[in-house]
């Protein structure tokens, strides 16, 4: 399963491209393309991730997977502290999907896809603050970006070592990416924007 990340990137190339576009940042900030809205969106995502991974860590029967989820929760809390902003009211919809995963295999696949989707958003956040002539905040968000990149490797290794059913892992990862893309489409359409024409 070491090629799962590459497979996800290939099979979801168009959705991931759009989730890594400036329009995606417009969606997650509710159309408020200014620094505070970006920070609030990042804080909401980090808080939701910390809560989810804490729950998984306490509920996970596989000790190695539980340790991984605990580490992911710690990193998410660090990200919330780093962003240091009141979180937006609503967390991304992917956390509703992630909360439904009960098996180790499904959770590992979901965690991998969550890191991939979050990385796309954070990359846009870095670009936003660079363009906003705020190099200090851009540097802060580069820390989040670096951590998420590292997580892709760490979770990928865990999948190779711990996952037993490739189909379950893959199905969970697909579901997370699809949920993120569906929210992107629905949010932009609600703003009167045609997201499928945006790459």
């Amino acid at each position: 399963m070491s090629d799962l990340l590459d497979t996800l990137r290939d099979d979801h190339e168009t959705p991931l491209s759009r989730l890594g576009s400036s329009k995606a940042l417009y969606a997650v900030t509710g159309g408020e393309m200014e620094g505070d809205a970006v920070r609030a969106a990042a804080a909401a995502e980090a808080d939701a991730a910390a809560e989810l991974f804490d729950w998984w860590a306490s509920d996970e029967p596989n000790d190695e997977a539980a340790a991984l989820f605990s580490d992911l929760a710690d990193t998410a809390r660090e990200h919330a502290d780093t962003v240091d902003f009141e979180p937006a009211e609503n967390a991304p919809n992917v956390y509703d999907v992630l909360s439904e995963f009960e098996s180790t295999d499904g959770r590992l696949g979901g965690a991998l896809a969550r890191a991939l989707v979050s990385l796309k958003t954070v990359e846009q956040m870095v670009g936003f603050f660079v363009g906003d002539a705020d190099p200090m905040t851009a540097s802060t968000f580069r820390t989040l970006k670096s951590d998420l990149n590292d997580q892709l490797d760490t979770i990928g290794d865990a999948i190779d070592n711990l996952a037993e059913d490739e189909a379950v892992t893959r199905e969970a990862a697909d579901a997370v990416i699809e949920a993120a893309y569906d929210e992107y489409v629905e949010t932009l359409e609600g703003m009167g924007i045609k997201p499928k024409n945006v790459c």
Side-chain angles (χ1 to χ4, degrees), residues 42-63:
E45 199 282 334
D47 280 354
E51 182 177 350
L52 174 86
F53 291 129
D54 271 334
W55 171 38
W56 281 4
S58 66
D59 182 62
E60 175 57 51
N62 183 297
D63 289 343

Side-chain angles (χ1 to χ4, degrees), residues 77-180:
R77 275 189 291 273
E78 290 171 7
H79 287 183
D81 290 343
T82 299
V83 173
D84 192 23
F85 203 83
E86 186 71 22
E89 183 175 342
N90 297 318
N93 286 350
V94 293
Y95 288 95
D96 293 335
V97 175
L98 287 161
S99 67
E100 296 176 359
F101 299 149
E102 297 181 352
S103 70
T104 302
D105 291 354
R107 288 171 172 176
L108 289 170
L112 182 72
R114 173 262 166 187
L116 181 58
V117 169
S118 296
L119 177 61
K120 292 292 184 180
T121 303
V122 169
E123 286 173 342
Q124 278 299 310
M125 290 175 171
V126 171
F128 171 85
F129 287 111
V130 169
D132 204 36
D134 187 350
M136 184 174 295
T137 305
S139 179
T140 294
F141 277 80
R142 285 192 187 97
T143 300
L144 275 63
K145 176 182 173 181
S146 177
D147 287 343
L148 289 166
N149 265 315
D150 290 344
Q151 285 179 13
L152 290 176
D153 291 334
T154 301
I155 299 167
D157 288 343
I159 289 172
D160 286 343
N161 294 327
L162 303 176
E164 297 179 353
D165 191 329
E166 180 176 357
V168 172
T169 304
R170 172 63 193 273
E171 183 179 359
D174 287 339
V176 169
I177 295 173
E178 288 162 7

